Amino acid sequence: MSRRKIVAGNWKMNMTPTEAVKLIDTLKPLVASDDVDVVFCVPAIDIIPAVEAVKGTNIAIGAENLYFEDKGAFTGEISADMLLDAGVKYVIIGHSERREYFAETDETVNKKVLKAIEKGLTPIVCCGETLTQREQGITIDWIRQQMKIAFLNVSAADAAKCVIAYEPIWAIGTGKTATSDQAEEVCKAIRDLMREIYDDATAEAIRIQYGGSVNGGNAAELFAKPDIDGGLVGGASLKEEFGDIIAGSTCC
Ligand code: PGA
């Protein structure tokens, strides 16, 4: 089965609303494609102008986080309904930076995944190992545990529509990309786990991205691997180079 590739930019805490609109205007001709899903995951305050700026293009807007409650006394948080009403389609959940700096756990990730699905947002569910874990040889065990908990109580039909992002923490923002074989090994293990939890059809439908220092030079090789269906891109999504990454996902 051939899965449609999906390449998402993760802007992190970059770009004011004014800068966001400028960047979108620069990138939109460079990322135009009929063959790949293109998503810009932007800071919450940039969402409304970004949705306006991408009108009439192939770019979908994503959020970088959501809260799992519907509404109420949760100062500073943003609900799924707020994101939907603003025009958001995707939401990154459980990025390693949120786990490290904002105390997200596998359990809160699971609650957020369930809420995103309930409301009709597509979650981009992140997992990844540290360098120490990789050196200890526990990468696959660790990723399996993260993903098993993230997908607790998610039905096969809903899981099939999710996106998973495998992002080795040692490769994020470091310029040290995983080799395409290292990335493929883990993405394949994630697909095998989905087959174990669900079934063949679900495992074949779910899209699995690689993230961690993806750039214009390495994207094509990574995305050509059988179990890598695109990328989650940080630094390079803020540059014209993002266009080369989109081009790299259509080459094979
Ligand atoms: P990077 O970030 O591409 O800058 O390594 C990836 C990510 O954190 O999603």
Side-chain angles (χ1 to χ4, degrees):
M1 175 183 162
S2 87
R3 289 172 294 272
R4 191 174 160 85
K5 297 253 192 290
I6 176 165
V7 179
N10 174 11
W11 285 15
K12 309 193 180 189
M13 197 175 75
N14 294 295
M15 300 289 140
T16 65
T18 308
E19 290 167 344
V21 171
K22 274 198 202 133
L23 180 61
I24 289 170
D25 283 343
T26 306
L27 292 184
K28 65 189 177 190
L30 306 176
V31 303
S33 166
D34 293 332
D35 307 320
V36 190
D37 289 340
V38 177
V39 186
F40 288 6
C41 297
V42 305
I45 198 159
D46 296 345
I47 287 171
I48 288 175
V51 167
E52 189 59 35
V54 301
K55 276 198 179 135
T57 75
N58 62 317
I59 304 164
I61 294 300
E64 298 178 10
N65 186 26
L66 89 175
Y67 195 53
F68 51 76
E69 295 290 352
D70 281 336
K71 60 159 82 169
F74 304 103
T75 302
E77 292 298 315
I78 295 185
S79 73
D81 285 332
M82 293 170 188
L83 296 178
L84 277 169
D85 188 60
V88 165
K89 304 277 184 238
Y90 295 85
V91 56
I92 299 174
I93 296 178
H95 190 278
S96 60
E97 287 150 17
R98 294 219 51 91
R99 294 175 188 258
E100 184 177 352
Y101 306 128
F102 303 101
E104 295 226 358
T105 64
D106 291 334
E107 287 69 27
T108 59
V109 168
N110 176 238
K111 286 183 181 181
K112 291 179 177 194
V113 169
L114 289 168
K115 183 54 69 179
I117 290 169
E118 177 198 322
K119 297 291 183 175
L121 289 164
T122 300
I124 300 176
V125 192
C126 299
C127 58
E129 82 287 1
T130 62
L131 189 56
T132 309
Q133 288 166 331
R134 176 158 284 269
E135 287 168 354
Q136 288 170 332
I138 60 167
T139 297
I140 303 283
D141 290 339
W142 178 258
I143 301 293
R144 281 174 59 91
Q145 169 162 322
Q146 284 188 320
M147 287 292 95
K148 274 188 184 172
I149 300 173
F151 281 85
L152 263 183
N153 299 321
V154 175
S155 71
D158 287 334
K161 292 182 251 159
C162 292
V163 178
I164 294 173
Y166 165 56
E167 299 202 303
I169 295 168
W170 48 271
I172 295 178
T174 57
K176 283 189 209 145
T177 321
T179 65
S180 56
D181 287 339
Q182 284 173 324
E184 167 61 18
E185 183 195 12
V186 181
C187 291
K188 178 176 184 303
I190 295 170
R191 200 174 307 286
D192 290 343
L193 173 67
M194 293 294 137
R195 198 169 283 116
E196 251 173 74
I197 301 177
Y198 300 109
D199 48 45
D200 268 344
T202 308
E204 290 305 319
I206 198 159
R207 293 188 289 178
I208 305 176
Q209 299 173 316
Y210 166 78
S213 298
V214 174
N215 60 42
N218 60 27
E221 183 186 336
L222 286 159
F223 301 168
K225 290 287 180 185
D227 289 292
I228 302 180
D229 306 314
L232 183 57
V233 184
S237 72
L238 300 167
K239 304 182 199 158
E240 296 189 11
E241 184 180 356
F242 197 51
D244 302 332
I245 296 173
I246 302 298
S249 63
T250 53
C251 78
C252 331

